[in-house]
Amino acid sequence: MMVDNIQHIAHEIEAAPLTNAAELEQFRIAYIGRKGRIANLFDNLKQVAPEQRREVGQQLNTLKNRAQERFDQAQEQLSSTADTAGDTGFDFTLPPIPNTLGTRHPLSLVRQEIVRIFERIGFNVAEGPEMEDDWHNFSALNFPENHPAREMQDTFFLSENKDKLLRTHTSTVQVRLMENNQPPLRSIMPGRVYRNEAISARAHMVFHQVEGLYVNKGVSFKDLKETLYYFAREMFGQDTQIRFRPSFFPFTEPSAEIDITCFICKGEGCNICKGTGWVEIGGSGMVDPAVLQSSGIDPEVYSGFAFGMGIERITMLKYQIKDLRLFTENDVRFLRQFEGVI
């Protein structure tokens, strides 16, 4: 029985096709590997009668050597064939494959443009941590204890005592800037913020803001208006008009919403501006004296203004994007539309 098995496997070894790497690997596993068929025959050698064991063992060694020899020859042949194909198989007349470069994200494009606009009038860029405490996110900004923004449905709290949270606005950087520096202060604060909101075409749990702060002696609402007039015209065009609507924010007084004339219909009314001729871009106001005082700045000597805008909002208006979710879905069909934008 053992001799018959040896002869049968020897025939299989000679007949095995070894024309590619996959067949070569199957051959190695079947006949040369530690768990292959030849190894099993060696394990069963002890079952052969003692007087025949020497002769059968020699036949097994011959079979093993032949399998290894066939494997080595086929491996060398395949390697030689691959080298030859590599030398002569490439068509040098084919056109070159162009380098494919990515493009900057539309939010990055708009953020950089906003930074450049404000840098031209003396604003620098300030940044702060995205994980904050209650003081910098709420208390120092004049939010009362029972303010709705402190509730779980609006804020991502990171601890049960609600003193660690993901910042809900970049106003936290304004507080840190005032705590660690004395006026004059003139900075913008772009960055990512978080709010516990349902994701839809007009809302997201993660988005980007840019806020601005100017604190000095004699700063007035007129300075705020002229700064935002300049920004709106640089960002949206020189014929852009701006208006301020009275509003309320805990950290500014007086406060105002910022609207600009719709740059699609030029104030005539369209679906973008809902027929009003105006679109809202953010909020603003004079820094509340209580906020200055809590940050260590004397409100009797200094005054200041602050403003804030959503970068997604500005980008959607500028490029007429109707779905906020496109910014985070990484759809290359959407992103490639901005390849020519500088």
Side-chain angles (χ1 to χ4, degrees), residues 89-108:
F90 182 78
D91 186 353
F92 288 96
T93 64
L94 291 174
I97 300 174
N99 291 327
T100 303
L101 299 178
T103 182
R104 287 176 291 177
H105 194 279
L107 293 179
S108 298

Side-chain angles (χ1 to χ4, degrees), residues 103-106 108-110 112-114 116 318-319 337-342:
T103 182
R104 287 176 291 177
H105 194 279
S108 298
L109 291 169
V110 171
Q112 291 166 4
E113 186 173 357
I114 292 172
R116 285 196 297 265
K318 188 174 180 65
Y319 296 117
Q337 298 178 57
F338 301 91
E339 288 178 346
V341 181
I342 299 177

Side-chain angles (χ1 to χ4, degrees), residues 246-299:
S247 186
F248 170 78
F249 303 110
F251 36 86
T252 55
E253 179 61 35
S255 304
E257 302 282 357
I258 312 165
D259 297 337
I260 62 170
T261 48
C262 179
F263 48 87
I264 304 299
C265 65
K266 306 301 180 184
E268 296 295 326
C270 66
N271 63 329
I272 299 296
C273 61
K274 299 179 181 179
T276 65
W278 297 90
V279 290
E280 179 186 337
I281 63 170
S284 63
M286 300 300 295
V287 180
D288 193 298
V291 174
L292 293 173
Q293 191 166 24
S294 66
S295 299
I297 295 176
D298 189 350

Side-chain angles (χ1 to χ4, degrees), residues 50-171:
E51 63 272 14
Q52 297 178 343
R53 197 170 296 169
R54 178 181 178 86
E55 180 181 354
V56 173
Q58 290 176 347
Q59 293 180 19
L60 281 176
N61 284 328
T62 301
L63 181 68
K64 178 182 178 182
N65 293 335
R66 177 52 185 163
Q68 186 67 50
E69 180 183 8
R70 181 107 203 279
F71 177 83
D72 293 341
Q73 290 174 347
Q75 189 176 48
E76 183 178 355
Q77 180 64 31
L78 287 175
S79 177
S80 176
T81 303
D83 292 341
T84 303
D87 292 338
T88 62
F90 182 78
D91 186 353
F92 288 96
T93 64
L94 291 174
I97 300 174
N99 291 327
T100 303
L101 299 178
T103 182
R104 287 176 291 177
H105 194 279
L107 293 179
S108 298
L109 291 169
V110 171
R111 170 177 168 152
Q112 291 166 4
E113 186 173 357
I114 292 172
V115 169
R116 285 196 297 265
I117 291 172
F118 281 106
E119 281 181 341
R120 291 199 289 267
I121 54 175
F123 283 78
N124 57 26
V125 176
E127 296 181 336
E130 295 181 8
M131 188 179 76
E132 272 292 1
D133 52 36
D134 179 271
W135 169 256
H136 290 95
N137 200 83
F138 294 124
S139 299
L141 292 167
N142 219 23
F143 283 85
E145 289 286 339
N146 60 349
H147 196 280
R150 294 175 181 264
E151 297 300 323
M152 287 296 292
Q153 62 264 27
D154 291 323
T155 305
F156 287 105
F157 290 98
L158 304 180
S159 61
E160 292 184 0
N161 64 8
K162 297 186 179 181
D163 192 47
K164 293 297 181 182
L165 52 93
L166 296 178
R167 67 183 183 187
T168 59
H169 46 197
T170 54
S171 302

Side-chain angles (χ1 to χ4, degrees), residues 202 277 295 321:
R202 299 181 63 85
S295 299
I321 299 169

